[in-house]
Amino acid sequence: MQGVSLALVELFTAQYLLLFVSSFLATLIGSMLGIGGGFIVLGVLSVLLPVTVLVPVLAGVLACIDLSRAVAFRAHIHTPTCSPFLLGCVLGVAGGATLFLSLPEAVIGTGLALLILFSLALPSIKLRWRIRYPFFWVGAAHSFLSTLFGYGGLFQAAMLQTALTNLQITATLAAGFLVLELMKIGSYLMGGFDYQPYLGLIVAAACGAIPASLLGRRLAQRVSSELYKSAQRAILALIAINILLRVWI
């Protein structure tokens, strides 16, 4: 019995350490390049947790990462873009949370995997704004998909096609996503999800995110993203395949 208990302690310790390292790398990459680091955490959690648990826990982990980045880059937040995005999120989170509670794991997992694969094409799609307050509608659509499937992808693509500087993009994404993740956490709690068993994982992520944000702020203007973009496509494809295998096999 003691041997089993020791094995469980070692397993949990390994999970916490893995998430700590993943959070550090995710935050560092996200801080240096503005986007993409959260996929590392998503990949780790997709191995450790079932999809219906992964989506709410991912919101808690990403909130820790985004908080550290938003504080580190707070001077560069572009409020005229962030404010309408967050107003749209109120609408999207309400709709996404309602459906999340009623859909089976296979549907949520398949939707998440397809969104990840679709995101591979987003950087090459030119967005043409012909509506008023476009970031309000981006916020509504992104937050709906993110609350339902754990990933939205639209806000990043829209931000990359603005005239904002790299630091402004990094800061605005971090601030917008921080508030969005807090909205999502609130909606999952209201739906009955219990975060208590997963607080250790979330704390481990926070411990990895804080030092990475400070380091990433210093390195943010020195990094070329060409190699990372190629690696990101490969990582995204592997994550999507892993999720599909977990929910269908």
Side-chain angles (χ1 to χ4, degrees), residues 69-231:
R69 289 172 58 196
V71 171
F73 292 88
R74 61 189 179 279
H76 303 279
I77 297 172
H78 191 251
T79 305
T81 298
C82 196
S83 296
F85 170 79
L86 293 177
L87 288 175
C89 287
V90 175
L91 182 65
V93 169
T98 301
L99 284 178
F100 178 79
L101 296 173
S102 60
L103 292 181
E105 180 179 1
V107 174
I108 295 174
T110 302
L112 173 57
L114 292 177
L115 277 171
I116 292 172
L117 293 175
F118 176 69
S119 70
L120 296 175
L122 278 178
S124 62
I125 298 175
K126 297 297 181 183
L127 301 176
R128 294 175 174 82
W129 307 122
R130 296 183 179 179
I131 55 176
R132 295 186 66 184
Y133 311 115
F135 277 98
F136 172 86
W137 299 108
V138 168
H142 178 107
S143 60
F144 174 80
L145 295 173
S146 181
T147 306
L148 183 56
F149 299 118
Y151 173 70
L154 299 179
F155 191 30
Q156 299 97 315
M159 287 294 291
L160 289 176
Q161 297 188 38
T162 66
L164 299 179
T165 66
N166 289 341
L167 289 178
Q168 285 178 313
I169 291 174
T170 297
T172 305
L173 286 173
F177 286 153
L178 170 60
V179 180
L180 170 58
E181 300 304 338
L182 292 176
M183 290 182 189
K184 288 163 57 179
I185 290 171
S187 71
Y188 298 138
L189 286 171
M190 292 176 62
F193 184 79
D194 182 10
Y195 274 94
Q196 186 172 355
Y198 310 102
L199 289 179
L201 293 175
I202 296 173
V203 170
C207 292
I210 293 171
S213 290
L214 299 175
L215 179 60
R217 182 174 59 181
R218 296 188 177 187
L219 301 177
Q221 301 184 61
R222 305 179 185 178
V223 178
S224 170
S225 61
E226 291 304 316
L227 177 61
Y228 173 75
K229 288 178 181 178
S230 298

Side-chain angles (χ1 to χ4, degrees), residues 11-35:
L11 175 61
F12 285 125
T13 302
Q15 290 179 343
Y16 292 154
L17 180 61
L18 179 60
L19 192 56
F20 171 86
V21 174
S22 301
S23 177
F24 180 90
L25 293 175
T27 307
L28 181 62
I29 291 171
S31 297
M32 290 190 298
L33 303 177
I35 58 170

